[in-house]
């Protein structure tokens, strides 16, 4: 039987309350937690994951803010989601870049086995990691219904959030709750 999946993208301390955290990211946290708790299906998480050499990487040169270093408090999911993940035994996918090939391959395996009905994405940042993961899923499974809940996402800026939603819609990703599309980090 096909199951629906909710992919929670990078709802980590550093993106909510830490090094790259903002009021907008904190503003969606409660809605994301509620969505996770009420979701009927499987929930999976991605974790932006860097090493202590982050500032020496291409990303570190372009975004010189050390964040999501594995093993630090900033790398962990926000407490409400980490508690849920541990209690329910939800899978987490560490990723060193914007999109998670491992997540896409895992879900593609479920899809090919007839065990995947749809995927919905929530989290941060709409214009970087959310859009990257949604487009990876569409590239791997063009007939799979993929959705993004705009009210449970925040972008680097409100303008980039809206631009990412436009891009997602252009690529046949269903954007839910577009009326709340002003979220930005």
């Amino acid at each position: 039987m096909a199951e629906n999946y909710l992919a929670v993208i990078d709802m980590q301390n550093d993106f909510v309350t830490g090094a790259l955290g903002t009021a907008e990211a904190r503003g969606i946290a409660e809605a994301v937690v509620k969505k996770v708790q009420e979701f009927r299906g499987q929930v999976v998480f991605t974790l932006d994951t860097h090493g202590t050499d982050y500032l020496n990487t291409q990303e570190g040169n372009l975004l010189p803010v050390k964040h999501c270093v594995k093993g630090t408090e900033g790398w962990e999911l926000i407490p409400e989601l980490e508690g849920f993940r541990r209690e329910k035994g939800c899978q987490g996918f560490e990723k060193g870049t914007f999109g998670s090939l491992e997540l896409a391959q895992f879900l593609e395996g479920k899809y090919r086995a007839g065990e995947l009905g749809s995927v919905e994405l929530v989290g941060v940042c709409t214009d970087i990691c959310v859009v990257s993961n949604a487009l990876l899923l569409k590239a791997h499974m063009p007939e799979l219904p993929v959705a993004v809940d705009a009210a449970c996402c925040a972008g680097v800026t409100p303008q980039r959030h809206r631009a990412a939603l436009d891009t997602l819609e252009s690529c046949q990703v269903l954007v839910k709750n577009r009326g709340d599309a002003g979220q930005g980090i």
Side-chain angles (χ1 to χ4, degrees), residues 2-8 31-45 81 84 88 90 107 116-122 145 147 149 152 176:
E3 252 189 307
N4 298 323
Y5 275 72
L6 177 67
V8 181
V32 171
V33 170
K34 182 178 180 187
K35 185 165 202 92
V36 165
Q37 291 171 338
E38 295 176 355
F39 189 75
R40 294 188 183 275
Q42 297 295 317
V43 179
V44 294
F45 296 88
L81 293 177
F84 179 91
K88 302 292 185 184
C90 299
L107 292 171
L116 180 60
S118 68
V119 177
E120 184 171 347
L121 295 90
V122 297
D149 186 341
C152 290
K176 297 179 173 183

Side-chain angles (χ1 to χ4, degrees), residues 12-31:
Q12 294 160 268
N13 290 321
D14 270 348
F15 290 125
V16 179
T17 58
L20 294 171
T22 64
E24 290 83 5
R26 289 186 296 278
I28 66 161
E30 186 177 323

